[in-house]
Amino acid sequence: MASRGVRPQPRGKPSGIPFNARFTDVAAEAGLRAPVIYGPPDRMDYIVESMGCGIAFFDYDNDGWLDVFVLSGTRRDGPVAGASNRLYKNNRDGTFTDVTRQAGLTRQAWAFGVTIGDYNNDGFEDIFITEWGQNVLYRNNGDGTFTDVTKEAGLASPGARWGTGCTWVDYDRDGRLDLFVSHYLVFDFQSIPPTGRDPDCNFKGIPVNCGPRGLKPERCSLYRNNGDGTFTDTTEKAGIALPGRGFGLTAVAADLQGSGWQDIYVACDSTPSLLFHNQQNGTFVERGLELGLAVNEDGNEQAGMGLAVGDFNTDGALDILKTHFAEDTAALYRNVGAAGFEDVTTVAGLAAETRYVSWGAGIQDFDNDGLPDIFWVTGSVFPEVEKLHPSFPHKTPRVLFRNLGGSRFEELFDAAGPAMAEVHASRGVAFGDFDNDGDIDILIMNINEPPSLLRNDVSGNNHWLKVRLIGVKSNRSAIGATVIATYGGRKQAQAVLAQSSYLSVNDRRLHFGLGAAKLADLEVHWPNGLRESIGTVAADRLVTIREGQGIARSEAMEPAARRGH
């Protein structure tokens, strides 16, 4: 991973403006107590042990409440008791019940990424997981259980590969979700030396695990949905193989330039990131450098790990945030239309933070003021370094930048509650409203610890709106759709994504903070190209929009009744 020795820009004078969101880690009281096993607890001898995995918010049983899906790794001397992916059912009272075994999802492996979507359009969300070894597709049976259909779907690989980023994407607009998978590098425990065996594998003079530089990168893969429960590998035919290989991590699919067709963007570690531009004929061409998303404003590749897609400046276009290694800045790319994207990291104030290895990220409005904020988690990949260099600790805090308007941000420390300062070696993050109280909560994967669940409690009188889309001619999950909300003189775009953050999945319901506005106008750009206008929607509600039919349901949400209250 690349560390460029970047010095942080000076921090501006604090604005002093109150921040009306406060986060508390309620994971233990909510029942999320099982640790996520990922390699040895005190060292990381191989890169496969250091990368961690994603996490997901999704409603697997269609009861209107977000459930939690936690990926897990293992240890090379496994099997390890308790090391399994886990599904937690939302009890609607602020707690969860582990239903992994009943659901048929018990599995111990080196899991990395997850993407969730209704690939067979039966009304229930299915799960695809990438692993080092063999990826897996679980079909949701609609009765609380899942079935491993990897082989019958044609998605089993002949040998061990290291799958990382993955996303459902209807790239040909036929109403069926296709599957994109990025791969990190070629790995096995026999051919790659552990920590201390190769003198070239060091950080700050300390022997560390090797990679990714010096190891063999992998190419991405694309699978077309045949509509009968099977997939066909179209990697070569669609042009995905042409750009060559890179150290691919998180993948996002969205209509990034407003063409009505989904592009695919891959954060790459230590190699230029990839933007597969949809040519609207079943093929892609890689245009990352041309559109400003391959490298940073200095023309350097970075250690791209996590991706967030949102509209930080509320101009109605999708922007991108990419996280990187310590001694480097994150990269905030502003959408400038047909010309592509512009790196505005420094002018936005984000270059003030360069201390940590950064992972899962989001562009989310945490205080409902109508201006999306920026959040990411951190954690080292070299626990050995801390002993001699205390300024590079293994467990590190969360990062939160509050949106000040005018495309400027300021970093907050204690203003958002004690959960921001808690230290962990974190990786994946999911954003969603698990208690249905009208704000955005945060779910975090921590290596060799239980996950964190940061409950957001917003004060003040700001309003909000949630939008749930149901595709008809488009895929049922509406993955690839964009919603533009106009409110209070602002215009904010959000996309329905099947993966973002770091290898993770967010609440499918789009959440718009509206500030003082009590009404919003909506424009929906469906994945099949249809554009639908929905005027004058009341705030503080969840609206469900069915493709071509307008609002199917508008409801006030009933918050979870917390136990003991």
Side-chain angles (χ1 to χ4, degrees), residues 19-23 365-369 373 435 437-441 455-464 511 562:
F19 188 66
N20 293 324
R22 188 169 182 84
F23 293 93
D365 188 352
F366 296 113
D367 58 353
N368 287 338
D369 68 349
D373 310 298
D435 51 3
D437 66 348
D439 55 34
I440 292 292
D441 309 302
R455 188 189 67 216
N456 185 3
D457 295 302
V458 175
S459 59
N461 299 313
N462 288 333
H463 299 283
W464 53 270
H511 179 95
R562 298 178 191 169

Side-chain angles (χ1 to χ4, degrees), residues 331-342:
L332 181 63
Y333 297 103
R334 181 172 67 91
N335 192 325
V336 293
F341 292 79
E342 175 187 11

